[in-house]
Amino acid sequence: MARYPGLMLRILAEDHPAIGPGKAQLVALIDSTGSISAAAREMGMSYRRAWQLVEALNASFIEPVVMTAVGGKRGGGAVVTAFGRELVQQFRAIEDKASKAIATDIERLQRRMRKPPRAPQRQ
Amino acid sequence: MARYPGLMLRILAEDHPAIGPGKAQLVALIDSTGSISAAAREMGMSYRRAWQLVEALNASFIEPVVMTAVGGKRGGGAVVTAFGRELVQQFRAIEDKASKAIATDIERLQRRMRKPPRAPQRQ
DNA sequence: CTTCGTTATATTCAGAAAAACATAACGACG
DNA sequence: CGTCGTTATGTTTTTCTGAATATAACGAAG
């Protein structure tokens, strides 16, 4: 889910996550599909979970991120607001900036990492 | 738990978290107390959970982060290795670097955030 | 050889989180 | 006014996590 190797970054409001890689991807998919349920399907996520994430996003910001319509042509749908699009762009820019800023440090740490788990050590 | 306002950052090995703010604090407390159980107490965490985190840390890196001794003087104890100390320092340096690199972007986002939850929006 | 405090580990319990399932509401459109 | 696909929401079930509890192992020190 992390878009940058070795790094997972979330922006917090107070102390709960306002946006992270998952929500960003979800909003991007809602933008391209025009539907929460289609985006959820593409992410292999239940519609309910996706809807809850959208609800949390809208609750975290003073402007709506996703607007929904129920009923009507094609049953309804969802559109990402200009702010929502901007939010995803900014989050990705932040990921990119942070990733670049600490890339060499992460690489240094990763040279000390192992892939598979290992048995605990004793003195 | 996040040491930097508005930001939570974890370093991943493959796709599971190798170190984040919680593990870093735990290792620092083990270093200052010389005991997993004392560190756990200070963090309000069960000994078992703390032990599992230490196990995960040691499994994530090619060098041990915490070495433990069972029995003996004072019942045993745990010491943070030089690498472990370095790991915590480097993680905090990474947090600091990333936080500085994206501080203004985070502030811009935070100006669009609200503290309390809000009802969902309709089109 | 008993005591002591810690590490190590299994087991059990409770609560939270997630998933699964079900169903209602909705409005355009034929 | 029935159909359709979607949003919205309730209910139930399952899974996961964490906490709590219990106990063994250990080795220094008295």
Side-chain angles (χ1 to χ4, degrees):
Chain A
M1 190 173 78
R3 305 174 55 82
Y4 292 91
L7 175 65
M8 160 144 324
L9 181 151
R10 286 176 210 284
I11 310 298
L12 308 177
E14 295 294 293
D15 61 346
H16 63 272
I19 188 166
K23 281 175 180 169
Q25 186 188 358
L26 179 65
V27 172
L29 282 173
I30 291 173
D31 201 12
S32 64
T33 62
S35 141
I36 296 177
S37 61
R41 278 192 296 271
E42 288 206 20
M43 289 186 71
M45 171 188 302
S46 73
Y47 167 79
R48 164 146 215 170
R49 169 127 182 86
W51 182 87
Q52 285 170 334
L53 292 176
V54 167
E55 187 186 35
L57 274 169
N58 281 335
S60 292
F61 294 91
I62 58 180
E63 298 175 64
V65 174
V66 172
M67 310 275 281
T68 60
V70 59
K73 177 181 359 180
R74 304 270 318 152
V79 302
V80 175
T81 65
F83 170 66
R85 224 168 269 126
E86 196 187 330
L87 176 65
V88 172
Q89 284 172 358
Q90 289 196 13
F91 174 72
R92 290 187 172 167
I94 287 175
E95 276 187 316
D96 193 60
K97 242 188 225 184
S99 178
K100 283 185 167 57
I102 64 183
T104 65
D105 306 80
I106 290 199
E107 277 160 29
R108 177 167 43 241
L109 275 191
Q110 282 179 331
R111 267 181 254 124
R112 316 289 263 277
M113 289 183 193
R114 63 173 65 217
K115 313 301 171 59
R118 180 181 61 148
Q121 300 298 308
R122 299 286 164 80
Q123 279 189 59
Chain B
M1 192 174 79
R3 305 173 55 83
Y4 292 90
L7 175 65
M8 159 144 325
L9 181 151
R10 287 177 208 284
I11 309 298
L12 307 177
E14 295 294 293
D15 61 345
H16 63 271
I19 187 167
K23 282 176 181 170
Q25 187 188 357
L26 178 65
V27 173
L29 283 174
I30 292 173
D31 201 13
S32 63
T33 62
S35 141
I36 295 178
S37 60
R41 277 193 297 272
E42 287 204 21
M43 290 185 71
M45 173 188 300
S46 72
Y47 167 78
R48 178 182 172 86
R49 169 127 181 86
W51 181 85
Q52 285 171 334
L53 292 176
V54 167
E55 189 185 35
L57 274 169
N58 281 333
S60 291
F61 294 92
I62 58 179
E63 299 174 63
V65 174
V66 172
M67 310 276 280
T68 59
V70 59
K73 180 181 355 183
R74 305 267 319 149
V79 302
V80 175
T81 64
F83 169 65
R85 223 169 269 125
E86 196 187 329
L87 176 66
V88 172
Q89 283 172 358
Q90 288 196 12
F91 174 73
R92 290 189 172 164
I94 287 175
E95 276 187 316
D96 192 60
K97 240 188 228 184
S99 179
K100 282 186 168 56
I102 63 183
T104 66
D105 306 79
I106 290 199
E107 278 160 28
R108 177 167 44 243
L109 274 191
Q110 283 181 329
R111 267 180 254 123
R112 315 288 264 277
M113 289 182 192
R114 63 174 63 215
K115 313 302 173 60
R118 180 181 65 146
Q121 301 297 308
R122 301 285 163 81
Q123 279 188 60

